Every structure is written in structure tokens, then in C-alpha cells.
Amino acid sequence: MVRKPAKSGIKADAKVASTRKPNMREAILAAAEELFSTYGFNAVSVRDIAQAAGANPGSVTYHFKTKDGLLLEIYRRHCGPMNRRRSELLAAARRVRDLQDRLEAIVRAYVLPAFTSGSDLAGGGTRFTRLRAIMSAEGNEVVRKIIAQTFDDTSHAFIDAIHESLPHIPRTDLVWRGHFLLGALYYTLVTPERVSRLSRGSADGTDAGHAIEELVCATVAALQAAPLDQPTPVPRKAAGVNPGRALT
Amino acid sequence: MVRKPAKSGIKADAKVASTRKPNMREAILAAAEELFSTYGFNAVSVRDIAQAAGANPGSVTYHFKTKDGLLLEIYRRHCGPMNRRRSELLAAARRVRDLQDRLEAIVRAYVLPAFTSGSDLAGGGTRFTRLRAIMSAEGNEVVRKIIAQTFDDTSHAFIDAIHESLPHIPRTDLVWRGHFLLGALYYTLVTPERVSRLSRGSADGTDAGHAIEELVCATVAALQAAPLDQPTPVPRKAAGVNPGRALT
DNA sequence: ACCATATTTGTACTATCGTCCAAATATTCA
DNA sequence: TGAATATTTGGACGATAGTACAAATATGGT
């Protein structure tokens, strides 16, 4: 790690109260999650985590064996609740009558848990999703495994649900557009200040609520776009939103 | 670095020909770019780079002083040509008569150089953009500076051009949607195999040409979506693509 | 209070990190 | 060619990495 944010301050000098060891394992997990999601996995050392948690480096090894094991446990903590929440919201979304509303509900069911899940802590969902974003770029092997076997089922369920609402669009296109959604979501969590900067202050990239609305709105429109092959299919109504292949 | 891809093989055992030192500085730059864009900045050591370039670790220090300096030089190499290409394509796109075609041309002008720029080497554009994606997640300080002072002007130019084609949509929304475009672009370059996996083989995430088409199509549709505030403005035609705020 | 167990501590090990430097070698130009 | 310069080499430095382990301490059941 490079930056040193001057320590917390609240942790006290010990001794005073008996608040020393309520649950060190949890403290380590929380510290690791915060540091990993901020600086990335490779840039944070086990010693950084131990210090932030007020623990001894040896304790990290004791509880999680290796640094990879610590990362794995963080994923285990969040994947279950997040996917459960997604399934619940997806099931509710499927019951929406109006096709247009249903599509939006499905997208919202995918996006919302990424911001709000997190078992208990405030901002837990955002933090974990930011971690996932960073890990997808750094490319850890442990993560690649757990991602493929934990999130792919959910992703397929969402793609299927979307395909039901938009049967005239090939599944392949929907996979691409869902992929773009995840990329946009990740990037927004990783670089929110860019939005504030480019909008010259008229937008706040860190405002999760507004980010969700923008993301849902843009994604619903993207999903409904005419597929690549057909020049102007016009499924029901919808303006000619697509090609022409101009330029080059 | 963790993975060891068993070395190149082509580099030969030296001695045979006089192909030993055409330009070591360039070889180091190329090796660093390849490794950084694959494993990330933090995961690659100066020694990894030197070995991949067939150079001595000391040579890296000699030519670039520090590891950060090496990264900086890679950015300097690519930012100029890429932004120049973008400006050219943007100027051409602005001259397109039809508003719909013009919008698509503008988006294409933004996306294309990210895949094809790169001064000389094949795949140079893709590699550098993948590097930018990884660096945006890892959050290097050197990069943050050069990004803000090199790409923001171009980004503003594109947002302005888009705003001209879609004057009824608030600039703020266009900033968000342009942000999503970049996130989707980055994610596609960083995790292309996810598309292949989720589409069960019916799509190839590494096919840059197809990725561009999908990205442009989805983005054009997203840009045209009705803005958040107005429930159903219907600028010219375009179906009610937006809200309802269903669920939750 | 006692013992068995769980946890924490402090330290040490080896490996590798980025960077430095003096000596060796290659290159360039008068 | 010979001197000046540019580059490469190999080794070294201190710092820090992940992990292991024995000793110290806290905890919970009886």
C-alpha cells in the first residue's frame, strides 16, 4: 500500500475499556475488505490489514491461513446474501404485468443488490462490488473460480428473464448488453469522481441512488435496441434506434 | 507476477545473429506494456519486465529511472496518437448530415481508436486500452494525473458533440451515459472470456470487431433514452423507453 | 480453581521488491 | 584509430513481502 491515511483514531490506546477483543476475526475481515476495495489486492499487505484491524499479523494467518484465503472468505461472506437478494427481486420482477415495467424491474433487480446488499455494515454492498470490480481487473485466480461458480447461474437467470421480455432479440446480443451493464456498474464504483469532474459539478458520481437511476435508464434503452443483424426490424414500436454503419 | 508462461522462445540464445541490440529501450517498453496490461502494474516487477525484454534490470532503471517513470512513458507514447485519431474521426463525424447517423459516427469515433490506435504494433490499441482499464481500477497516482490532463479535453469534446445531436437531453445525463460507455469498453477488454462463457460459445468476447458493433449499437440507444426527469418527453419519435420507477 | 482449548503475540525465516552503483562493454564522432 | 559518450552488466543495498512457529495469554466448561 502506498497511501497512509493517518490511522483511524477511534481505536483508542487499548487498556482503558475492555473493548479490546469482541471479535478479532470480524475486525480483520472488515479491515481487509475496506483496504482491498480501495487499493486493490496486490497493493495491500497482510501487515497493513493487521494494523488497520488492531491485530497482530500472525492472527491473520491463524484465522485465514493465507492472504488468498482471506480474500476467499470475504467473497463467501457476500456472494450468498447478494445472490439471494437478487433472486428475490428477480422473482418479484417477473411478476410485473406490463412488459416495459417488467424489463426495468429486472434490470433494477440486478443492479440494486450490488449497491445495498452487504450482510450488516452500511455501504457493505457498494464496498464489496467495488472489490469485485478491482479484482476483475487484477485477475486473481482464486476469485476467477468463485466468480464462475457463484455468479454465472445468477447471470444466466437474468439473461433468460430479459430474453423473455425481449424475445425478438437474440440471446447473444443480450449477453453483450448485460456485460456492458456490469462494466458500467463496476466503472462507476471504481471511478465515481470522473463523473463529478466531467459534469463540472452538476452531477455527483458518489451518489449511489442517482447512479442506479442513470444506469437502469441507460441499460433498459440499450437492451431494447434493435439487434445488430436486422437493419430495421421494428418489433412493436420503438424508433429506428440502430445502424447505418456510417463512417469508415 | 505469479504466472510463468514458459518464456517466449523466439528470442533465441543470442550469439547466432547480430540481432542483439537494435533498440533495448523499445523492447523494454513493449515488454512492460504487455505485462502491465495483462497482470496489472502492482503484480509485475521490474525484473519480470527486464527478463521478458531480454535486458538487465539495471537497464530499466537507466532508461526510465523508476517503475512509475516507465509507466508514464508508456502513457506518453499512446495518448498523443490516440487522441489525435479521435479528434480526426470526431471532426469527420460532425460533418455527417443525418442526425441519427451522426450520433452513431460520433460514438464510433470514440470507440474505434481505443481498439486500433497504437503507433505501430498490431493490437497496440487494444493493449493500451486494457492497460488503462486495469490502471483505473488499481488507482496509480501517476496515471491519475496524466489521465485528467490528457483525456478530459477529448471527453468534453465528445460530450459536446453528442449534446449537439441530442440537445433535448441534459448534459449531465450524457456525461453519465458516456461514462457507462467507457466502463463497458474497459470491462470488455479486461474480461472478454466472460462473454464467451455466458453466451455458451455463440459469441466471442475477444472479437474486437464484433465487440465494437455491439458497443456502438447499445450506446447509441442508451444515449437516446429519455432523460431521468421527464417521464415521457418524446423528442421526435422514439418509444417510451424510460421510467415508471417500478419495484421497491 | 483447574485444565483443555482457542487465540494472540513476537519473532524469524526466506524470497523478492525497487533502486543504486561501479565496472565492463558498445557506440559515436573527431 | 582513439577519446568521449552511451549503454549494459552484475552485484549489492535496505525495505518489505507472505508465512511459519513457539511461547504467552485469554477463554470456557467442570
Side-chain angles (χ1 to χ4, degrees):
Chain A
M1 189 167 53
V2 181
R3 288 149 286 193
K4 300 248 172 173
K7 209 67 196 306
S8 61
I10 296 182
K11 202 180 62 61
D13 309 9
K15 188 78 70 70
V16 282
S18 62
T19 56
R20 291 195 309 160
K21 273 161 283 184
N23 200 344
M24 189 53 90
R25 190 185 145 94
E26 294 303 317
I28 293 172
L29 273 172
E33 191 179 309
E34 174 65 26
L35 291 175
F36 285 158
S37 71
T38 306
Y39 304 107
F41 181 75
N42 292 324
V44 174
S45 72
V46 173
R47 286 171 174 83
D48 290 331
I49 296 164
Q51 183 179 336
N56 188 287
S59 282
V60 179
T61 307
Y62 171 74
H63 285 289
F64 305 100
K65 202 62 189 172
T66 68
K67 193 184 174 190
D68 274 335
L70 175 52
L71 180 66
L72 188 63
E73 182 58 26
I74 293 175
Y75 268 77
R76 267 205 275 259
R77 277 298 172 92
H78 286 286
C79 288
M82 180 175 286
N83 273 329
R84 211 170 309 128
R85 182 99 197 284
R86 273 194 172 145
S87 295
E88 290 167 10
L89 293 181
L90 178 58
R94 279 177 178 277
R95 285 191 291 271
V96 173
R97 278 293 199 298
D98 182 82
L99 270 166
Q100 176 72 29
D101 289 346
R102 187 195 299 170
L103 180 61
E104 182 181 327
I106 292 171
V107 173
R108 207 174 288 274
Y110 186 81
V111 172
L112 253 173
F115 285 88
T116 61
S117 176
S119 40
D120 34 7
L121 276 154
T126 298
R127 199 166 43 230
F128 177 60
T129 307
R130 201 172 57 221
L131 173 60
R132 285 175 56 203
I134 293 186
M135 293 315 298
S136 80
E138 285 196 334
N140 181 282
E141 192 53 42
V142 173
V143 167
R144 222 186 309 272
K145 259 179 217 154
I146 201 171
I147 281 292
Q149 74 187 37
T150 306
F151 284 99
D152 276 15
D153 284 348
T154 308
S155 296
H156 276 125
F158 273 89
I159 294 168
D160 290 342
I162 292 170
H163 201 187
E164 269 180 40
S165 296
L166 299 167
H168 57 286
I169 298 181
R171 229 191 96 100
T172 302
D173 291 305
L174 298 180
V175 168
W176 275 105
R177 292 165 189 179
H179 190 71
F180 297 154
L181 162 59
L182 190 52
L185 171 56
Y186 279 173
Y187 191 52
T188 298
L189 286 176
V190 162
T191 324
E193 80 281 357
R194 184 176 175 274
V195 173
S196 309
R197 187 157 32 94
L198 289 180
S199 71
R200 301 198 188 88
S202 74
D204 177 14
T206 63
D207 179 349
H210 193 242
I212 291 174
E213 295 310 316
E214 291 282 359
L215 195 50
V216 170
C217 172
T219 300
V220 167
L223 285 170
Q224 291 176 316
L228 284 183
D229 302 335
Q230 306 140 261
T232 322
V234 189
R236 202 164 44 146
K237 38 186 181 177
V241 135
N242 192 32
R245 221 59 92 248
L247 191 62
T248 311
Chain B
M1 191 169 50
V2 181
R3 288 148 286 193
K4 302 248 172 175
K7 210 67 195 307
S8 62
I10 296 182
K11 201 179 60 62
D13 307 10
K15 188 74 72 66
V16 282
S18 62
T19 55
R20 289 199 306 163
K21 272 162 284 183
N23 199 344
M24 190 53 91
R25 190 186 145 94
E26 295 301 319
I28 293 171
L29 273 172
E33 191 179 310
E34 174 63 26
L35 290 174
F36 285 159
S37 70
T38 305
Y39 304 106
F41 181 75
N42 293 323
V44 174
S45 72
V46 173
R47 286 171 174 84
D48 289 331
I49 296 164
Q51 181 179 336
N56 188 286
S59 283
V60 179
T61 306
Y62 171 75
H63 285 290
F64 306 100
K65 204 62 189 168
T66 66
K67 194 184 173 189
D68 275 334
L70 176 52
L71 181 65
L72 188 63
E73 182 58 26
I74 293 174
Y75 268 77
R76 267 203 275 260
R77 279 297 174 92
H78 287 285
C79 287
M82 180 175 286
N83 273 329
R84 209 171 309 128
R85 183 97 198 286
R86 273 193 171 146
S87 294
E88 291 167 9
L89 292 180
L90 178 59
R94 278 177 179 279
R95 285 190 292 272
V96 173
R97 277 293 197 299
D98 182 82
L99 272 165
Q100 176 71 28
D101 288 347
R102 188 196 299 170
L103 181 61
E104 182 180 327
I106 292 171
V107 173
R108 209 174 287 275
Y110 185 82
V111 171
L112 252 173
F115 286 87
T116 62
S117 176
S119 39
D120 34 6
L121 275 154
T126 298
R127 199 165 43 230
F128 176 61
T129 306
R130 202 172 56 220
L131 173 60
R132 285 175 56 204
I134 291 185
M135 294 314 297
S136 79
E138 285 196 333
N140 182 281
E141 192 53 40
V142 173
V143 167
R144 222 185 307 273
K145 258 178 219 153
I146 200 171
I147 282 292
Q149 74 187 38
T150 306
F151 284 99
D152 276 14
D153 284 347
T154 308
S155 296
H156 276 125
F158 272 90
I159 294 168
D160 290 342
I162 292 170
H163 201 187
E164 268 180 40
S165 296
L166 300 167
H168 59 287
I169 298 181
R171 226 190 99 100
T172 303
D173 290 308
L174 298 180
V175 169
W176 275 105
R177 292 162 190 181
H179 190 72
F180 298 154
L181 161 60
L182 190 53
L185 171 56
Y186 279 173
Y187 192 53
T188 297
L189 286 176
V190 162
T191 323
E193 80 281 356
R194 184 175 174 275
V195 173
S196 308
R197 189 156 32 93
L198 288 180
S199 72
R200 302 201 187 87
S202 74
D204 177 14
T206 63
D207 178 349
H210 193 243
I212 291 174
E213 294 312 315
E214 292 282 359
L215 195 50
V216 170
C217 171
T219 299
V220 167
L223 286 170
Q224 291 176 316
L228 283 183
D229 302 334
Q230 306 140 263
T232 323
V234 189
R236 204 166 41 150
K237 35 186 183 176
V241 135
N242 193 28
R245 222 56 95 249
L247 193 63
T248 303

